[in-house]
């Protein structure tokens, strides 16, 4: 048998031999790698195939630095997955015709790997280290490719290269091994029981709370990976409702963060306990600027009319209320992106960027029809096909990030051609795929809006008294329904459909829960 000195010399030959490097790496031994860890992992696996259970299944053959190691590991994986044994003798038999195996005296090499393996090694730790080194090499390679592309493709602007590199780095960090792997049923049953246990402890929703009791009673909150469509005709208040939900969710996340931090500080006596993370709400405001949306949120919390701000009619009391609201709102974990003319891919990239620093718990998009298709190079035959691409892209993003996404949507004009203007699923604008892709579809409807537009006019030959009576009845009804709003749950993959009664204060762009017997009762201060 060869001495340890001979074996180490053989390893050095393998390490620096150009024929054993990938084409893009063959002359650069500075790339992050560890031949020794690769040897120990493969040697241990060939000695005991059951150790594969402890190797992170994201570690692929191409994550090894040496092509010979890639070949041996790939063959071992295939054999083990087929139910056969992967041994040094098997490797010698199966790989003897492979050029890289022949060139490096592979028969002798695999035997030495098994003989010299450290028996008490931590194979799980080795696998994670090799995966990390592989990611570093991939990152360096892709950065080099991006650098070359900047010179070779001058027609592409900087934003294109930035988005490309962001996509690459995110995939390396989050998803380099591809899709998630199947899990046994008990894994998901445990997750389900955790949700049920939280509900039993007092959390009345199985998903992220909307902040509105009446809505949560129907939906159970907004569930992870769900696409929620909130649709209405213009001036119904869908932006106001969406921002109300976002703020309430952020307030809940802030309270949860503060409670978790207090618990950690009480239980952990170390000087620097690990701080919990705040669940972040990310809002894409395509129609309204960030400043305008922030003004709305400030006014809603301070009970100040936005119109008074525009007309410079703010009293000292109003200014004090706005300042107090600012102190509260600035603590909330909310990000606003008010870029216009963006695609689902832009949203994906920017959400990934935020997610690297903060855990995102919900995304709100205002609104879907202002997005354009994911691919700037793709030509769409019509708007329906583009909306189909957008809605499916948003659903995929919700699943990828495992969070609820609320996307606002316009309704077709034909809804107003009906007598009661009550929205239906067929009224979703531009595409039936919105209904298909959505897990929950909510329609916002305020009868007062249409009632106000239909003021009575005196008919021909109608007496003044009769007209006055009709006019008075119209005014009485306007007063009765002034603060009423309905949220129609038209589709609910997780439960029942129906109508949710809400209250609405138009002056402050504020929705609130109501009790059934008094739908006009204003919110308590």
């Amino acid at each position: 048998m060869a001495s340890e000195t001979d074996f180490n010399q053989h390893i050095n030959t393998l390490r620096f031999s150009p024929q054993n490097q990938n084409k893009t790496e063959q002359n650069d031994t500075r790339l992050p790698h560890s031949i020794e860890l690769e040897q120990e992992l493969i040697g241990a696996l060939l000695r005991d195939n059951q150790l594969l259970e402890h190797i992170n299944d994201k570690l692929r053959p191409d994550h090894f630095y040496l092509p010979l190691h890639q070949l041996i590991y790939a063959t071992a994986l295939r054999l083990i997955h087929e139910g056969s044994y992967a041994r040094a003798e098997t490797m010698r038999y199966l790989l003897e015709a492979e050029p890289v195996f022949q060139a490096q005296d592979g028969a002798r090499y695999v035997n030495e790997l098994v003989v010299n393996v450290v028996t008490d090694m931590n194979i799980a730790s080795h696998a994670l280290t090799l995966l990390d080194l592989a990611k570093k090499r991939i990152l360096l390679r892709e950065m080099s490719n991006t650098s070359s592309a900047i010179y070779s493709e001058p027609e592409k602007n900087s934003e294109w290269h930035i988005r490309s590199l962001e996509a690459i780095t995110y995939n390396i960090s989050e998803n380099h091994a591809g899709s998630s792997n199947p899990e046994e049923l008990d894994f998901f049953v445990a997750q389900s029981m955790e949700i049920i246990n939280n509900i039993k402890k007092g959390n009345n929703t199985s998903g992220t709370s909307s902040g509105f009791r009446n809505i949560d009673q129907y939906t159970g909150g907004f569930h992870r990976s769900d696409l929620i469509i909130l649709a209405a005709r213009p001036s119904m208040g869908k932006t106001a409702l969406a921002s109300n939900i976002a703020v309430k969710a952020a307030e809940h996340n802030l309270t949860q963060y503060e409670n978790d931090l207090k618990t950690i500080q009480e239980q952990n006596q170390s000087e620097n306990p690990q701080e919990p993370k705040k669940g972040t709400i990310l809002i894409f405001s395509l129609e309204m600027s960030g400043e305008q949306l922030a003004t709305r949120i400030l006014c809603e919390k301070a009970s100040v009319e936005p119109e008074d701000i525009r007309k410079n009619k703010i009293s000292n009391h109003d200014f004090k209320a706005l300042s107090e609201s600012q102190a509260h709102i600035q603590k909330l974990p909310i990000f606003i992106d008010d870029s216009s003319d963006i695609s689902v891919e832009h949203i994906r990239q920017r959400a990934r960027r935020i997610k690297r620093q903060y855990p995102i718990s919900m995304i709100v998009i205002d609104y879907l029809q202002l997005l354009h298709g994911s691919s700037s190079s793709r030509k769409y035959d019509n708007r329906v096909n583009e909306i189909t691409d957008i809605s499916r892209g948003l659903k995929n993003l919700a699943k990828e990030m495992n969070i609820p996404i609320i996307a606002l949507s316009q309704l077709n004009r034909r809804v107003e051609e009906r007598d009661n203007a009550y929205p239906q699923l067929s009224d979703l604008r531009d595409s039936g795929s919105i209904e298909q892709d959505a897990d929950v579809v909510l329609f916002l409807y305020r009868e007062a809006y249409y009632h106000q537009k239909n003021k009575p006019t005196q008919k021909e030959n109608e007496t003044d008294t009769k007209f006055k009576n009709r006019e008075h009845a119209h005014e009485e009804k306007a007063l009765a329904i002034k603060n009423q709003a309905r949220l129609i749950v038209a589709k609910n993959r997780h439960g029942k459909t129906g109508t949710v009664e809400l209250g609405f204060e138009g002056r402050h762009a504020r929705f609130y829960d109501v009790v059934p017997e008094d739908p006009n009762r204003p919110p308590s201060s």
Side-chain angles (χ1 to χ4, degrees), residues 299-342:
C299 289
E300 186 271 320
K301 299 304 291 184
S303 296
V304 173
E305 295 188 43
E307 187 71 16
D308 289 345
I309 294 179
R310 287 191 291 271
K311 294 181 178 180
N312 195 18
K313 293 183 178 180
I314 309 174
S315 66
N316 290 335
H317 177 270
D318 288 343
F319 187 79
K320 180 181 178 182
L322 288 167
S323 298
E324 291 173 352
S325 296
Q326 177 190 9
H328 169 70
I329 291 171
Q330 284 181 329
K331 298 178 182 177
L332 298 180
I334 296 178
F335 284 82
I336 297 175
D337 187 321
D338 62 358
S339 304
S340 58
D341 190 34
I342 61 174

Side-chain angles (χ1 to χ4, degrees), residues 54 57 72 94 120 129 135 146 158 179 203 238 268 304 328 352 376-377 380 410 417 434:
H54 304 287
D57 56 9
I72 297 171
L94 292 177
D120 61 348
T129 301
K135 287 181 177 181
T146 300
S158 59
S179 59
N203 180 8
K238 57 183 179 294
N268 195 328
V304 173
H328 169 70
R352 287 169 175 172
S376 58
S377 60
Y380 294 96
Q410 294 281 23
E417 297 172 3
I434 299 176

Side-chain angles (χ1 to χ4, degrees), residues 179-293:
S179 59
S180 59
N181 296 301
E183 297 283 356
E184 290 190 30
L185 177 61
D186 64 351
F187 172 81
F188 296 107
V189 169
Q191 289 186 330
S192 180
M193 282 304 299
E194 184 179 353
I195 293 172
I196 294 170
N197 188 43
N198 286 334
I199 295 174
K200 187 175 182 297
K201 288 180 178 178
N203 180 8
N204 295 321
T205 64
S206 55
T208 300
S209 174
S210 67
F212 293 89
R213 181 189 66 253
N214 295 350
I215 298 176
D216 288 343
Q217 285 178 349
Y218 266 84
T219 65
F222 299 137
H223 297 257
R224 287 180 293 183
S225 80
D226 273 5
L227 174 61
I228 299 100
I229 298 296
L230 173 58
R233 287 294 295 158
S235 301
M236 284 292 111
K238 57 183 179 294
T239 299
L241 180 57
S243 62
N244 286 181
I245 290 172
V247 169
K248 288 176 182 291
E251 289 173 334
H252 172 79
N253 290 347
L254 179 62
T255 300
Q256 185 67 49
Y257 161 79
E258 291 173 341
N259 290 340
D260 290 346
L261 185 61
K262 183 179 178 181
T263 300
I264 288 173
Q265 290 172 342
E266 289 174 350
Q267 297 179 353
N268 195 328
Q269 302 301 318
S270 63
E271 295 182 1
N272 298 307
Q274 185 174 1
E275 185 173 315
K277 299 288 187 180
K278 298 178 192 174
T280 299
I281 311 299
L282 179 55
I283 302 175
F284 288 90
S285 180
L286 285 79
E287 185 176 38
M288 192 179 296
S289 72
E291 179 186 354
Q292 291 171 328
L293 184 58

Side-chain angles (χ1 to χ4, degrees), residues 140-210:
L140 286 169
R141 186 187 312 137
E142 295 301 340
M143 290 172 66
S144 177
N145 291 342
T146 300
S147 177
S148 300
I150 291 173
Y151 288 105
S152 62
E153 301 177 89
E155 71 280 2
K156 289 186 170 64
N157 59 29
S158 59
E159 182 63 25
W160 187 92
H161 292 293
I162 291 170
R163 293 206 312 269
S164 175
L165 189 57
E166 281 182 344
I168 291 166
T169 54
Y170 181 84
N171 286 334
I172 293 171
S173 174
E174 298 287 336
N175 204 28
H176 187 252
S179 59
S180 59
N181 296 301
E183 297 283 356
E184 290 190 30
L185 177 61
D186 64 351
F187 172 81
F188 296 107
V189 169
Q191 289 186 330
S192 180
M193 282 304 299
E194 184 179 353
I195 293 172
I196 294 170
N197 188 43
N198 286 334
I199 295 174
K200 187 175 182 297
K201 288 180 178 178
N203 180 8
N204 295 321
T205 64
S206 55
T208 300
S209 174
S210 67

